[in-house]
Amino acid sequence: MMPLNNMSFLCLAFNIAISLIVIFTYSFAGFSLGIVSIVIFFLPMVAFSGAFLGMGAILLRESFIKSLIAILLNIGYIFLYFYVFERF
């Protein structure tokens, strides 16, 4: 089984990859508005899940530094998302 802090980092990587894909499809294709509207509600939930996975990793006594970094990066993504991507 994969450690929870690695799963938290995967949530962050998934969010960043999907955000980049949405930005490129939104810039180059007009038909992707449905995808963009679905992703707007989906990505913050994945980031919250990543933060909770990091907290669970701390509770399960996994690497504290890696878990804390995963939590902070996921929370930072949420703030970045609402600050940058909502204005895009």
Side-chain angles (χ1 to χ4, degrees), residues 8-9 11-13 15-16 19 43-52 54-55 67-86:
S8 183
F9 284 121
C11 286
L12 182 68
N15 282 334
I16 291 171
S19 295
L43 290 180
M45 290 188 294
V46 175
F48 279 123
S49 300
F52 286 133
M55 290 177 204
S67 301
L68 189 63
I69 289 171
I71 293 168
L72 293 176
L73 287 176
N74 277 295
I75 292 173
Y77 175 82
I78 294 169
F79 288 127
L80 180 77
Y81 177 80
F82 284 115
Y83 184 73
V84 174
F85 295 125
E86 288 292 320

Side-chain angles (χ1 to χ4, degrees), residues 14-81:
F14 176 77
N15 282 334
I16 291 171
I18 295 296
S19 295
L20 292 174
I21 289 169
V22 166
I23 288 171
F24 289 131
T25 58
Y26 186 71
S27 298
F28 297 118
F31 66 89
S32 64
L33 291 177
I35 295 171
V36 171
S37 65
I38 290 171
V39 169
I40 285 173
F41 296 109
F42 181 65
L43 290 180
M45 290 188 294
V46 175
F48 279 123
S49 300
F52 286 133
L53 284 170
M55 290 177 204
I58 290 175
L59 293 176
L60 291 175
R61 308 235 189 254
E62 293 181 11
S63 175
F64 181 76
I65 302 287
K66 288 172 75 176
S67 301
L68 189 63
I69 289 171
I71 293 168
L72 293 176
L73 287 176
N74 277 295
I75 292 173
Y77 175 82
I78 294 169
F79 288 127
L80 180 77
Y81 177 80

